[in-house]
Amino acid sequence: MSHRLVDIDLFVKGCHDLPKMDFVGHADPYFILTFMTPGQEKAAFEYRSHVHYNTGHPVWNEEINFTRVPIGTKVHIQVMDKDHLTAHDPVGDCELLLDEDFLDRAMLATASAESVAASVPGTPAAATPRAASPQRSRPPSSPGIARHSTGAAGSDAGAGGAGGGGGGGTPGRMSTSGLGDAAASHLDRLSLGDVSSAASSAGLHGDSAMGRAPAFLGLELQLPLRADASMRRPSAGTLSLGVGCRPCTTGCGSGPGDLLHRGPVRYRTASSWVAGRLTGHTDADSGWRAYAAYKLRLAGLNEFFPDGAQQPWNRAYDKAQQVFNSKALRAAVHTQHNMLYADNGKQKRRGVLRGGGDLVALLRGGVRNGARRYYTYCINADGSLCFSETGAKFFSDFMSKHAMHADMADCVVYAGEFTLVPPGLMPPELQQSVPAAAEAAEAAAGAAGAGAAAAAEAPAASTPAGRIDPTEAAADAALATAAAAACSGQQAEGWTLVFDNNSGTYAPASSQLPYLAALLRFNFPGLRVEVVDSLACKHVLAALHRRVPSRCPPATPAKK
């Protein structure tokens, strides 16, 4: 094989014949997937799936795509049984070596399946360049591994209602309000948002995604699971795994450490009836009062934030001190986090986002109960983007604090607030803020020491004094709802995703905003991205808040 680096698409379909692990019920399996690149002692990538309860035949249908994968990489999959009161039990594991012989067979199978799919009328063509068939002779299959390629029909008859049609569409433009052009230009080169797998258009079966479930194109394996030593049996069932392989489409990196997870973004939403009852949130779909928390697994975090979680909690902020220095409050916030994010298989929705249009659709254009919404977010060390609605009421705001989304982590990757701006509602202040804000950011960057300390002490941007009237707010929400109906995959024309660093708890550095913008652009192609410095661009935030009434505090009654 002439390619030292390749693109790999993995599709973990599921397992069958897992042993009984629980005294009551069968097993509660999930898997942990690990990539080990040659010469590296630390895993280059690790992923944990969701749990299936009380089954010996779990069907995950989880797609994980990579680029810049070096030859000789080992893929290890460990199947675990979740226990609620004790440590989770290992069920079995398997390992796949991505050597030249295997990758040649996988590349040949992928090219053949794509050729068949392209010849079938009505079948989408692959998004990535079709790989040339390798000239090497195909060696015999290894014992215990069944191999066959799957074409447009896929490997399964029953596709879940998943995975969005990430068709064409232009990658989202990145803009960095409050930062210099040099940093933005550098990150435009870093951004890999235009990288797409064949699975994006010809795709894979998914569990619960935003659109039509596509079909997997590649090599299908049936891998026997080695039973854990404690089980006293040789086999623990079989794992169904699909492998697609193509020449690397992003160019060669500097070494094996350049392996990059490229998606898709997986999401999970959780609705807490208790929290919803206390905060007054109503889910229009079910009629239940529900406070929804979202958890998105972002791709490519190490590419843009190689040092991981480096933003510590703000020790100069009195409210953060009260929470982090109190065992009782720490426990209370931890309980809040578990109440909203615990994966017990109930009141959860899961799926895949293949572009900015899917994000807009997931959040219904940022509208709930006929009003546009703001969201409080944290990006945590594991690459998860956790967020919920930001509210001006005390308990609603308390439930959405950054410490809760971070599960009281001492450090996070980034934190702040964000909103979706529909076509035609972009504030003029945001469009005109780039040059002036860039100068302010450069001046702030030059003032080290005292200037940095002052920024750390500032808890959050000031709230605007006024808001639009209810009639105008209702018209904005109606416009957003109508525009969101046309969004899917990478189709999000006219929409803007605006993120800021408005967090008193973590006070993230404004110097990292360009990297945040590049990360978001990479994960949500097709969606325009703007990032705003909450200190240098308070007027921009004021204009954004003004058009989202739920983000503004209630009007102060006039004194008699």
Side-chain angles (χ1 to χ4, degrees):
M1 175 180 291
S2 59
H3 307 283
R4 295 187 58 83
L5 300 177
V6 295
D7 289 351
I8 294 291
D9 299 333
L10 294 183
F11 178 48
V12 184
K13 182 183 184 328
C15 292
H16 52 88
D17 298 330
L18 294 183
K20 179 178 172 62
M21 300 294 294
D22 297 334
F23 181 75
V24 178
H26 193 95
D28 303 326
Y30 65 93
F31 70 85
I32 300 174
L33 182 144
T34 305
F35 263 60
M36 295 293 298
T37 54
Q40 302 293 317
E41 296 181 358
K42 184 180 178 181
F45 177 82
E46 184 172 298
Y47 174 80
R48 173 175 166 169
S49 75
H50 65 277
V51 181
H52 273 284
Y53 290 88
N54 191 27
T55 181
H57 307 279
V59 178
W60 289 293
N61 285 338
E62 297 217 14
E63 171 192 353
I64 314 170
N65 302 325
F66 303 88
T67 189
R68 303 197 306 242
V69 180
I71 294 174
T73 296
K74 292 182 180 179
V75 181
H76 182 262
I77 301 177
Q78 173 82 58
V79 179
M80 302 288 294
D81 171 54
K82 178 179 179 179
D83 288 327
H84 294 279
L85 301 178
T86 60
H88 299 187
D89 300 320
V91 178
D93 72 315
C94 59
E95 191 171 84
L96 183 64
L97 176 62
L98 305 181
D99 59 11
E100 286 198 40
D101 289 339
F102 175 80
L103 292 177
D104 278 348
R105 294 194 293 273
M107 191 173 291
L108 178 63
T110 304
S112 176
E114 290 177 348
S115 177
V116 171
S119 66
V120 177
T123 303
T128 49
R130 190 173 305 160
S133 300
Q135 300 302 313
R136 299 170 59 91
S137 60
R138 179 169 180 168
S141 300
S142 302
I145 301 180
R147 296 186 175 94
H148 64 275
S149 61
T150 57
S155 57
D156 244 12
T170 54
R173 184 183 69 84
M174 179 183 68
S175 177
T176 51
S177 298
L179 295 145
D181 292 337
S185 174
H186 170 65
L187 284 168
D188 267 331
R189 293 193 298 272
L190 276 180
S191 177
L192 300 173
D194 54 346
V195 176
S196 58
S197 79
S200 298
S201 59
L204 296 168
H205 299 304
D207 42 7
S208 176
M210 301 301 301
R212 178 181 58 85
F216 175 67
L217 303 177
L219 191 67
E220 185 176 321
L221 312 176
Q222 300 295 325
L223 302 176
L225 292 172
R226 298 183 296 256
D228 187 73
S230 62
M231 297 176 59
R232 299 181 180 178
R233 55 183 294 172
S235 176
T238 305
L239 176 83
S240 296
L241 176 69
V243 182
C245 179
R246 299 167 189 81
C248 183
T249 57
T250 60
C252 295
S254 58
D258 288 330
L259 179 143
L260 176 63
H261 173 219
R262 57 175 180 169
V265 176
R266 303 197 70 86
Y267 75 85
R268 172 164 62 89
T269 65
S271 299
S272 169
W273 183 88
V274 176
R277 184 67 177 261
L278 293 171
T279 58
H281 288 64
T282 302
D283 189 313
D285 288 342
S286 64
W288 289 89
R289 289 184 176 277
Y291 183 94
Y294 300 81
K295 187 172 186 177
L296 279 57
R297 175 64 188 260
L298 298 178
L301 182 70
N302 292 339
E303 180 80 3
F304 306 101
F305 291 90
D307 296 328
Q310 295 292 316
Q311 303 292 334
W313 68 271
N314 185 7
R315 287 161 174 78
Y317 185 32
D318 56 346
K319 292 183 180 180
Q321 292 176 5
Q322 294 172 11
V323 174
F324 281 87
N325 293 333
S326 168
K327 290 184 178 180
L329 288 179
R330 272 181 174 266
V333 174
H334 181 68
T335 300
Q336 285 182 345
H337 179 90
N338 286 341
M339 180 171 63
L340 290 177
Y341 286 107
D343 188 3
N344 56 10
K346 300 177 181 178
Q347 296 183 351
K348 301 289 188 292
R349 278 200 309 144
R350 307 175 191 278
V352 173
L353 306 179
R354 301 187 184 278
D358 283 346
L359 178 65
V360 174
L362 174 66
L363 298 181
R364 303 171 190 172
V367 174
R368 184 182 62 80
N369 277 2
R372 292 181 59 218
R373 304 290 170 173
Y374 239 89
Y375 302 90
T376 297
Y377 77 90
C378 266
I379 301 177
N380 299 316
D382 63 353
S384 61
L385 170 62
C386 296
F387 62 92
S388 64
E389 284 184 24
T390 302
K393 295 181 181 179
F394 169 77
F395 190 77
S396 180
D397 190 52
F398 182 69
M399 287 292 294
S400 66
K401 285 299 185 184
H402 295 100
M404 186 276 291
H405 291 301
D407 196 16
M408 292 302 301
D410 287 334
C411 296
V412 298
V413 176
Y414 219 75
E417 297 178 340
F418 76 89
T419 191
L420 283 167
V421 181
L425 292 185
M426 177 67 71
E429 292 86 349
L430 184 58
Q431 297 175 353
Q432 300 169 2
S433 66
V434 176
E439 295 176 4
E442 291 174 1
E457 291 178 5
S462 58
T463 311
R467 64 170 79 186
I468 57 177
D469 61 68
T471 303
E472 192 175 0
D476 284 359
L479 186 153
T481 301
C487 293
S488 67
Q490 297 183 18
Q491 303 299 324
E493 185 175 356
W495 283 86
T496 304
L497 180 64
V498 183
F499 266 64
D500 63 42
N501 57 345
N502 192 13
S503 169
T505 303
Y506 290 102
S510 60
S511 60
Q512 299 297 302
L513 279 170
Y515 299 94
L516 173 67
L519 175 68
L520 296 171
R521 184 188 180 207
F522 177 79
N523 281 273
F524 306 115
L527 192 59
R528 176 180 173 179
V529 173
E530 296 275 1
V531 292
V532 180
D533 185 348
S534 62
L535 294 177
C537 301
K538 292 183 179 181
H539 66 293
V540 176
L541 292 189
L544 289 165
H545 293 173
R546 180 176 176 271
R547 301 201 72 90
V548 184
S550 63
R551 180 60 184 83
C552 299
T556 304
K559 294 183 179 180
K560 295 183 179 179

